Every structure is written in structure tokens, then in C-alpha cells.
Amino acid sequence: MVVFRIRASHRRRYAVLFLFIAGFILCRYIGLPSGRNLSRKEGLSVNSSQFTLSGEPFRIIGGSLHYFRVPKAYWKDRMLKMKACGINTLTTYVPWSLHQPERGVFHFHKQLDLEAYLNLAADVGLWVILRPGPYVCSELDLGGLPSWLLRDENMKLRTTYPGFTDAVNTFYDKLVPKMVPLQFKKGGPIIAVQLENEYGSYAVDNNYMDFVKQALLSRGISELLLTSDNHEGLKDGGVNGGTLKCSFGIKLMVMEYWTGWYDGWGDLHHVFPPEGKISLIRQGMSINLYMFHGGTNFGFTSGAVESPSYKPIITSYDYDAPLTEDGDYTPKYHLLRDLFSRYHSEKLPEMPVIRWKEGYEAAIMYQHLSLWDSLPFLEKPFKSQTPVNMENLPVNNGNGQLYGYTLYETMISSGGSLKSGNSIRDRAIVFVDKSFIGVFQFKTEELAVPDGKGERTLSLLVENCGRVHYGKTLDLQRKGLIRDIFLNNKPLRDFTIYSLDLNPAFIDRLYRAPWKALPLAPSFPGFSLGRLFVDGYPSDTYVKLPGWSKGVVFINGQNLGRYWHIGPQQALYLPGPFLNGGINEVLVFEEHEADLKVLFEDSPDLGMTVDIQ
């Protein structure tokens, strides 16, 4: 069992990097075999000083590239750019939440065709280290765990709690048989498999890692098993029966050698200077660049941090990686390519040409549909005496609401003080008789409700801005109204609850709604509809929304992700494969205000930057 350090926090990053450098043992130069003529009898192994593959010395020069963050049409392009940089091993997580969005429903096709992705890596000439969780972190909503697990009020994630292990076993029954034939000793590209992720920082069940290990071994995984943790988590995140105990003086590999960092809404865009990422590489260690290419958190897949306070992650996962979000080269890429070329006996492949980016004419929004007029196109509303969180709503075939918004409505007969009671997850826009009165932000605890005559409708549009992806509070990531809220210190009752998850079925129905010509003063929240014309073959572009406030963009029904004027991100990446030649539908859900014109430009805008040394 090889134990690696990984991401945790900015503070720990500096400490751990110092330990790696200070405690480093210089590794001798190891050539990088092509692997085409290797014997498949002996896979990746490790001794006290080095890795071997088929009994030959082997240095892992790895890079993380996530299939679920890159359009399928671009998988090969990104892999070829990895190969041209000198990378010999691709690493990827497997997000359970995307592959099993509902109990009994499994998606392993199209964008989530893992087998096709791994076979393509083999065709390009890359080895693979697979990281199948079940928890993966990766700044994904709930760390890649499916939210329907939280319907169980007693759920204990990442433990041997039967409700969790039963679900893991069901998922692995579908996943692992797809992995087994693709292992190295069976002729495939998988040279190692990681158990879970960062468990030492969680470590609430001493039996859990052994369960994950046996779940993989019993289903036919026979390649080298790895764990990944920061230095403090080594003693708690390992598993019995390993092949190597990691100590201060022996470091064979850094499983997550960060090339950059992720961004939260309201932050600056984090960048790492290129020259800051080569010290360990020059020393001869095996590494995995996290990320080599970050990609995009399309839809509602991005997570959130809980410390020091709750903050959701932006849509872009550019990560300041060697390849940009749209796959372009950076100075960091060229520096690494020059360095890695020294470890190859053969000349590196030529760098693939970069793809053209196009600026298109703005889409003018010409139709509008208010939130209130869209309600008949949702699933039938649910009535409840008390608030019900998203995950426990009777929608999506009994799996609850996964993402998006939930509208809670009840009748009130007076104004006064509306208190959240710390029960709103994560943000709520509040209305009385469809008139806006305020917003419960993440820290807001009280709003004033104006006085009025007779009974009126109080509405709260609650957004799940992203479940926390890391830390000790995973079991507490239920969204919506999770407890009572109070008007004049009395709990509100008799709710009508609408699930507004903005899923593809709803978006498709919405096109058949009675849209109105755009009024001079459209009401928000609401949907705006426009068209983008593409002349010829579509190219990548960037959606920019100056004058808009906060919402979600859909192109031809595809959810690009969230935008928010607070930044840092000011443009959404729109890959060419999402577009059609000719007419394209542009649909925007806006919460507050809009310019009613959507721009399409040829360059990104990730906001003001801050260097992370």
C-alpha cells in the first residue's frame, strides 16, 4: 500500500510541501519505457526506492484529467496534449453521483462512458491510475457522493454504516466489472487503483478502509492499490496489508502535486507561478500533476467549502493548470514539457494545434417567462405541514431533489420579523404576493416582512449553491429548508413545495410554455429566451453577461453552469460541440436583474488574480 499526500488547505499545503522538500531523498534518474513491448505478467510494484513496471524501473509522470469535466469530443485532444508534454500516466476520479443519479439508475454512456475514456487513453499511449472512490472530493458536490444517500436521516457517509456500504456495493457491482478487463495484467492501461480519498482527514471508522479494499479485491481488482492523504492523515487513512509504509524519509510519489487551485464565488482567481512547480520534478520523484487540465464544472456539479465559512465553488475548474479550461497551452505547459523531455529517450510528440475560439454576435433575448408562470411545468407540488429538505422531497422517482432551487410557499396574515433559524441552505430570495422583499444570504438571520391586509402568500426560493465537498460535515449537507423558519417567533406551517431542479426534462417542457414578448420591465426571477446564430462549423466561445446578476445558462438545453456578478469568473466556457451550425437556443434563468443581451466572445475572463506561492 503506497500512501501519498494530497490537497487539504492552504496552510497545510505550505507545511507539507516543506516536509517533502526537507525530507526528500534524491531518486536516481529512471528512464520512461513506452510500455508497448512490456510483459504483462507483473504490474506496477514498489520497493524501498522506486516503482517498477513489468520488473523494470518506472517513474510515474502523471497528470489529472477528468472525463466528466471535458466534452467527450475533446477527450483525445487533451490526452494528445498530455502525451506531447511528456506525461506517461493519466489519473481520473470516478464520480459516483454522476454515474448513479438515482437508486437503480446507472449512466455509463456518452459523456460518462468510462470504458471508452480508458480505452482511448490506452490508444494514445497513456497508463491510468484510477480513483473510483466511493468518495472522491475533487471540489464536486458532496465530494462526488450521490445526494439521495442523505434521504436516510441516520446516514453515516464514509463509514461501515449498512445503509452506506449497501449502496457502495450496489454501485461497485456495476462499476468494477467495467474496470477489471482494463487492468494492466489483462492487457489494459490501468496500472493502479486508489482506495477512497483523503480518508485520514476524516477517519471516523477504523474498519471503513478495509471494507473499500475488500470491495475492490473481491470483484477482481488485482493491480497495485494506493491511498492518498496529507502527512497528518497518514496514520489514520491507511489500510492493513499494504506493501509500503510511508515515513518522513521515504517519499516515492506525490499523488496530488498542485499546479494551481480552485476558486470560490467572491474570491480572486488563484494562480501559481510556473517556476514554483518544478522543484520536486527536478529531483526525480514520481508525481501526479493535479490538475494537468481542469476543465469545467458543468451544470450544478461544483461543491463548496465549509471553513472558515461556507463558500460555493465557481463553474470554471481552470485551476491555473498547464492547459487552460478550453485546452490552450500556457507558459506552465511549455516549462513542464521542456523539463519532462529530458526524461524520455525518444523525442516527444509534436504539440497538437490549438483550437480556434470564435466571437459571435450577441443573442438578444426576445421572450420572457416569469418564475410564477413556469410553475405549471414543474412536477406536481408537494404539500407538507412542516418544511421538507430537498433530498427528502417525493420527486425523481423517490430519490429527492439533487440540485437547483426549491420554492416554499405558505400563507401569512401579518408582517413582522422573519427569522431563518439557521435553517436555510444555502440562499433564499423572499417574496410576499410575488413582490420581492429581500434575500437570506449565507449569514442573514432576519428579514422584515411588511404589513398588509388579509392573508398573503410568503414565498422563499431556496438555492442549493453546492454541497460541501470536504470536511467533517458531509452528513449534514441537506439543502432547502432543513428546519423551521419563524415569523414573529412562531414556526410557519402548511407549505406548498415546488422542486425547481432545472433538469433536462423540465427545460424541454419549458420550451412549450406560453412565453411572452419581452416586456419593458420583465419580472425576476424568470427565464429569458434568445437565439445565437453560428455560421459554419461551431467553435469554442465564451458566454458573458454584463448587466446580469445571478443565475444559470442553458445552450440547446445543455446546462453550462452558474454565473454570478460577484466573480471572480465573468464568462462561462461554451465548447463548440455544444453548438449547432445555424440556430442555437439560449435560455437564461436570472434571479434578480438582466441586461437582456448575452455576449459571445473569444476569450475567457476568470477575474482578478492572486498569486499563491
Side-chain angles (χ1 to χ4, degrees), residues 371-372 387 390 405-412 418-421 423-425 427-435 437-440 447 449 457-463 480-481 483-487 492 495-498 500 525:
L371 168 68
W372 319 107
M390 285 186 177
Y405 301 78
T406 306
L407 180 66
Y408 297 82
E409 293 192 330
T410 187
M411 304 304 295
I412 58 174
L418 181 65
K419 294 183 178 179
S420 69
S423 298
I424 294 174
R425 301 289 188 275
R427 186 175 183 273
I429 311 173
V430 186
F431 307 85
V432 173
D433 283 345
K434 303 179 183 179
S435 295
I437 66 167
V439 176
F440 278 111
L447 286 177
V449 177
T457 302
L458 176 71
S459 305
L460 295 95
L461 182 64
V462 183
E463 180 189 5
L481 292 185
R483 290 183 297 268
D484 286 334
I485 58 172
F486 302 86
L487 180 60
L492 293 172
F495 288 91
T496 300
I497 306 173
Y498 296 85
L500 189 70

XYZ file of all heavy atoms in Angstrom, residues 371-372 387 390 405-412 418-421 423-425 427-435 437-440 447 449 457-463 480-481 483-487 492 495-498 500 525:
449
model
N -40.932 33.280 -13.217
C -40.884 32.081 -12.371
C -42.291 31.572 -12.102
O -42.560 30.364 -12.189
C -40.178 32.405 -11.057
C -40.292 31.343 -9.958
C -39.537 30.080 -10.342
C -39.784 31.894 -8.624
N -43.201 32.484 -11.801
C -44.555 32.095 -11.404
C -45.308 31.441 -12.563
O -46.062 30.490 -12.357
C -45.314 33.323 -10.885
C -44.430 34.181 -10.034
C -43.896 35.397 -10.359
C -43.903 33.858 -8.739
N -43.090 35.865 -9.347
C -43.077 34.948 -8.333
C -44.053 32.782 -7.870
C -42.414 34.977 -7.122
C -43.378 32.805 -6.653
C -42.578 33.885 -6.285
N -41.562 22.272 6.929
C -40.607 22.286 5.813
C -39.998 20.907 5.590
O -39.798 20.137 6.529
C -39.545 23.289 6.270
C -40.203 24.133 7.301
C -41.179 23.240 8.003
N -34.632 19.343 0.466
C -34.607 18.914 -0.936
C -34.507 17.399 -1.081
O -35.232 16.772 -1.860
C -33.410 19.540 -1.659
C -33.538 20.997 -2.011
S -32.103 21.484 -3.011
C -32.522 23.191 -3.361
N -33.048 24.661 -7.330
C -33.811 25.525 -6.445
C -35.061 24.786 -5.948
O -35.585 23.897 -6.621
C -34.273 26.780 -7.179
C -33.177 27.634 -7.767
C -32.546 27.270 -8.959
C -32.777 28.820 -7.167
C -31.557 28.058 -9.523
C -31.791 29.622 -7.721
C -31.180 29.236 -8.900
O -30.203 30.015 -9.453
N -35.552 25.206 -4.797
C -36.832 24.725 -4.281
C -37.648 25.932 -3.826
O -37.126 26.810 -3.123
C -36.638 23.751 -3.103
O -35.754 22.704 -3.494
C -37.962 23.142 -2.681
N -38.911 25.980 -4.240
C -39.797 27.079 -3.872
C -40.739 26.617 -2.755
O -41.479 25.654 -2.920
C -40.596 27.533 -5.083
C -41.580 28.689 -4.853
C -40.840 29.978 -4.509
C -42.477 28.881 -6.082
N -40.670 27.315 -1.638
C -41.534 27.037 -0.492
C -42.541 28.178 -0.356
O -42.155 29.351 -0.287
C -40.718 26.944 0.804
C -39.715 25.813 0.848
C -38.458 25.949 0.251
C -40.018 24.612 1.497
C -37.534 24.916 0.306
C -39.091 23.576 1.552
C -37.857 23.739 0.950
O -36.940 22.712 1.004
N -43.838 27.841 -0.311
C -44.878 28.862 -0.174
C -45.811 28.512 0.983
O -46.164 27.344 1.185
C -45.684 28.994 -1.461
C -44.869 29.550 -2.615
C -45.715 29.957 -3.804
O -46.783 29.338 -4.013
O -45.315 30.901 -4.512
N -46.195 29.568 1.719
C -47.159 29.410 2.800
C -47.925 30.719 2.955
O -47.512 31.761 2.424
C -46.460 29.025 4.118
O -47.438 28.722 5.109
C -45.577 30.153 4.629
N -49.029 30.680 3.669
C -49.859 31.869 3.856
C -49.520 32.541 5.187
O -49.281 31.877 6.203
C -51.338 31.489 3.837
C -51.784 30.746 2.583
S -51.441 31.634 1.050
C -52.500 33.071 1.257
N -49.476 33.872 5.155
C -49.255 34.645 6.374
C -50.363 35.688 6.488
O -50.940 36.120 5.484
C -47.878 35.337 6.384
C -47.725 36.259 5.166
C -46.754 34.305 6.411
C -46.454 37.098 5.180
N -39.123 37.959 10.105
C -38.963 36.606 9.565
C -37.540 36.151 9.879
O -36.567 36.762 9.428
C -39.198 36.608 8.052
C -39.090 35.261 7.339
C -40.183 34.306 7.803
C -39.163 35.454 5.818
N -37.418 35.105 10.662
C -36.108 34.619 11.100
C -35.831 33.247 10.491
O -36.676 32.369 10.515
C -36.041 34.551 12.620
C -36.122 35.918 13.291
C -35.972 35.810 14.799
C -36.012 37.191 15.452
N -35.879 37.112 16.936
N -34.600 33.112 10.006
C -34.229 31.861 9.332
C -33.985 30.725 10.304
O -34.101 29.551 9.931
C -32.977 32.081 8.487
O -31.840 32.300 9.317
N -33.616 31.035 11.532
C -33.298 29.973 12.492
C -32.153 29.100 12.014
O -32.057 27.919 12.389
N -31.794 27.762 9.216
C -32.429 26.620 8.570
C -32.417 26.702 7.053
O -32.965 25.816 6.396
C -33.882 26.511 9.052
O -33.942 26.299 10.442
N -31.823 27.744 6.474
C -31.846 27.937 5.020
C -30.514 27.504 4.429
O -29.458 28.012 4.803
C -32.155 29.397 4.678
C -33.584 29.751 5.104
C -31.956 29.662 3.197
C -33.948 31.195 4.937
N -30.576 26.566 3.506
C -29.386 26.053 2.831
C -29.591 26.151 1.309
O -30.319 25.367 0.747
C -29.120 24.585 3.217
C -28.912 24.335 4.691
C -27.562 24.905 5.160
N -27.299 24.480 6.529
C -27.732 25.084 7.631
N -28.490 26.173 7.502
N -27.438 24.635 8.824
N -29.265 29.763 0.205
C -29.586 31.158 -0.097
C -31.043 31.208 -0.521
O -31.504 30.370 -1.280
C -28.683 31.653 -1.231
C -28.777 33.118 -1.583
C -27.727 33.454 -2.655
N -27.720 34.861 -2.990
C -28.498 35.429 -3.905
N -29.358 34.677 -4.591
N -28.423 36.724 -4.152
N -31.794 32.203 -0.008
C -33.226 32.273 -0.313
C -33.618 33.681 -0.731
O -33.269 34.664 -0.057
C -34.048 31.839 0.894
N -34.357 33.780 -1.843
C -34.975 35.031 -2.265
C -36.412 35.001 -1.751
O -37.137 34.018 -1.962
C -34.964 35.174 -3.787
C -33.564 34.894 -4.335
C -35.407 36.564 -4.213
C -33.499 34.856 -5.852
N -36.830 36.069 -1.078
C -38.096 36.059 -0.349
C -39.081 37.046 -1.003
O -38.722 38.176 -1.356
C -37.885 36.425 1.133
C -39.184 36.274 1.909
C -36.785 35.538 1.744
N -40.341 36.603 -1.127
C -41.399 37.399 -1.745
C -42.660 37.343 -0.885
O -42.911 36.355 -0.190
C -41.760 36.833 -3.131
C -40.599 36.649 -4.056
C -39.843 35.484 -4.007
C -40.257 37.624 -4.971
C -38.779 35.295 -4.864
C -39.189 37.446 -5.827
C -38.444 36.279 -5.775
N -43.440 38.424 -0.962
C -44.799 38.437 -0.423
C -45.731 38.793 -1.574
O -45.572 39.848 -2.198
C -44.956 39.425 0.739
C -46.422 39.531 1.151
C -44.099 38.996 1.928
N -46.655 37.895 -1.859
C -47.544 38.054 -3.019
C -46.741 38.382 -4.282
O -47.060 39.308 -5.051
C -48.598 39.131 -2.760
C -49.711 38.632 -1.845
O -49.820 37.394 -1.659
O -50.470 39.466 -1.328
N -45.658 37.654 -4.484
C -44.779 37.733 -5.655
C -43.965 39.020 -5.734
O -43.298 39.272 -6.743
C -45.582 37.534 -6.946
C -46.343 36.216 -6.997
C -47.148 36.081 -8.284
C -47.957 34.786 -8.275
N -48.780 34.628 -9.499
N -44.010 39.826 -4.683
C -43.201 41.045 -4.638
C -41.963 40.799 -3.778
O -42.071 40.331 -2.632
C -44.011 42.205 -4.057
O -45.076 42.533 -4.905
N -38.983 41.057 -1.270
C -38.756 41.797 -0.024
C -37.336 41.652 0.499
O -36.926 42.403 1.387
C -39.748 41.390 1.081
C -39.540 39.943 1.521
C -41.182 41.643 0.650
C -40.273 39.605 2.828
N -36.547 40.693 -0.005
C -35.181 40.568 0.483
C -34.580 39.200 0.191
O -35.215 38.323 -0.396
N -33.324 39.042 0.625
C -32.577 37.801 0.398
C -31.976 37.329 1.708
O -31.372 38.109 2.449
C -31.445 38.017 -0.631
C -30.614 36.743 -0.797
C -32.013 38.463 -1.964
N -32.162 36.058 1.999
C -31.405 35.419 3.069
C -30.094 34.926 2.466
O -30.055 33.922 1.762
C -32.169 34.227 3.668
C -33.204 34.601 4.686
C -34.555 34.458 4.408
C -32.830 35.078 5.930
C -35.516 34.795 5.342
C -33.786 35.422 6.879
C -35.130 35.280 6.586
N -35.223 38.997 8.274
C -35.741 39.940 7.296
C -37.038 40.535 7.820
O -37.787 39.873 8.553
C -36.019 39.249 5.953
C -34.845 38.853 5.067
C -35.364 38.128 3.831
C -34.020 40.068 4.667
N -40.780 41.630 7.172
C -41.915 41.396 6.294
C -42.882 42.567 6.466
O -43.333 42.846 7.586
C -42.626 40.073 6.635
C -43.858 39.883 5.763
C -41.663 38.896 6.470
N -49.409 35.479 0.396
C -48.528 34.335 0.141
C -47.073 34.730 0.377
O -46.563 35.675 -0.255
C -48.687 33.833 -1.306
O -50.048 33.469 -1.538
C -47.792 32.630 -1.556
N -46.442 34.035 1.291
C -45.000 34.185 1.524
C -44.283 33.099 0.726
O -44.573 31.912 0.872
C -44.675 34.045 3.003
C -43.184 34.094 3.374
C -42.629 35.497 3.195
C -42.955 33.601 4.803
N -43.337 33.512 -0.131
C -42.599 32.571 -0.980
C -41.106 32.695 -0.717
O -40.578 33.806 -0.640
C -42.864 32.840 -2.462
O -44.249 32.831 -2.757
N -40.442 31.566 -0.601
C -38.989 31.532 -0.443
C -38.411 30.632 -1.534
O -38.687 29.419 -1.556
C -38.569 30.999 0.932
C -38.954 31.836 2.147
C -40.261 31.328 2.736
C -37.863 31.772 3.206
N -37.647 31.227 -2.454
C -36.958 30.459 -3.486
C -35.560 30.138 -2.954
O -34.689 31.007 -2.904
C -36.868 31.252 -4.787
C -36.209 30.520 -5.953
C -37.024 29.296 -6.376
C -36.001 31.466 -7.136
N -35.365 28.886 -2.550
C -34.131 28.476 -1.873
C -33.219 27.774 -2.872
O -33.640 26.841 -3.566
C -34.429 27.554 -0.682
C -33.136 27.202 0.049
C -35.413 28.225 0.273
N -31.964 28.210 -2.932
C -30.992 27.613 -3.845
C -30.003 26.737 -3.097
O -29.445 27.128 -2.066
C -30.201 28.699 -4.586
C -29.176 28.115 -5.557
C -28.239 29.156 -6.126
O -28.309 30.326 -5.704
O -27.420 28.789 -6.994
N -32.140 23.188 1.035
C -33.501 23.711 1.094
C -33.779 24.261 2.478
O -32.895 24.812 3.143
N -35.037 24.142 2.918
C -35.377 24.463 4.309
C -35.221 23.185 5.111
O -35.981 22.231 4.935
C -36.809 24.987 4.416
C -37.097 26.348 3.779
C -38.544 26.775 4.084
C -36.122 27.411 4.267
N -35.118 22.977 8.524
C -35.851 23.023 9.800
C -36.888 24.134 9.710
O -37.085 24.734 8.660
C -34.891 23.288 10.972
C -33.953 22.151 11.326
C -33.101 22.505 12.546
N -32.230 23.649 12.268
C -30.991 23.542 11.814
N -30.473 22.353 11.587
N -30.259 24.620 11.577
N -37.501 24.437 10.820
C -38.499 25.503 10.879
C -37.877 26.870 10.622
O -36.723 27.140 10.973
C -39.163 25.535 12.259
C -40.152 24.397 12.468
O -40.696 23.905 11.465
O -40.367 24.013 13.638
N -38.681 27.750 10.003
C -38.385 29.175 9.984
C -39.531 29.875 10.722
O -40.624 29.317 10.855
C -38.224 29.715 8.561
C -39.485 29.470 7.743
C -37.013 29.103 7.888
C -39.438 30.151 6.388
N -39.279 31.106 11.180
C -40.190 31.720 12.145
C -40.618 33.122 11.695
O -39.801 33.910 11.229
C -39.511 31.826 13.518
C -39.046 30.501 14.058
C -37.801 29.979 13.705
C -39.852 29.777 14.925
C -37.380 28.767 14.205
C -39.425 28.559 15.431
C -38.192 28.049 15.075
N -41.911 33.408 11.866
C -42.443 34.749 11.692
C -42.947 35.206 13.052
O -43.842 34.580 13.635
C -43.571 34.777 10.666
C -44.196 36.148 10.400
C -43.153 37.136 9.876
C -45.372 36.037 9.444
N -43.557 28.701 10.963
C -44.507 28.709 9.854
C -44.918 27.278 9.503
O -44.141 26.337 9.623
C -43.892 29.389 8.639
C -43.634 30.894 8.796
C -42.844 31.431 7.615
C -44.943 31.645 8.951
N -46.972 24.250 4.127
C -46.186 24.642 2.962
C -46.653 23.922 1.700
O -47.025 22.748 1.729
C -44.706 24.324 3.188
C -44.031 25.235 4.170
C -43.996 24.913 5.531
C -43.438 26.410 3.747
C -43.374 25.744 6.437
C -42.807 27.248 4.655
C -42.784 26.917 6.001
N -46.596 24.648 0.598
C -46.654 24.056 -0.731
C -45.250 24.170 -1.309
O -44.665 25.258 -1.347
C -47.657 24.787 -1.633
O -48.965 24.709 -1.046
C -47.689 24.170 -3.021
N -44.692 23.036 -1.764
C -43.269 22.984 -2.121
C -43.119 22.551 -3.577
O -43.642 21.511 -3.994
C -42.517 22.003 -1.192
C -42.762 22.358 0.290
C -41.025 22.019 -1.501
C -42.205 21.350 1.271
N -42.406 23.364 -4.348
C -42.137 23.078 -5.754
C -40.649 22.747 -5.924
O -39.780 23.484 -5.439
C -42.450 24.292 -6.630
C -43.886 24.724 -6.660
C -44.399 25.571 -5.666
C -44.738 24.335 -7.690
C -45.720 25.996 -5.701
C -46.057 24.762 -7.741
C -46.541 25.587 -6.736
O -47.846 26.026 -6.779
N -37.687 22.858 -8.242
C -37.218 23.563 -9.438
C -35.759 23.165 -9.679
O -34.833 23.963 -9.502
C -37.347 25.074 -9.245
C -37.103 25.968 -10.458
C -38.221 25.833 -11.479
C -36.956 27.427 -10.026
N -37.460 36.541 -10.236
C -36.779 35.572 -11.078
C -37.604 35.223 -12.316
O -38.831 35.263 -12.287
C -36.612 34.352 -10.174
C -36.787 34.858 -8.784
C -37.745 35.995 -8.884
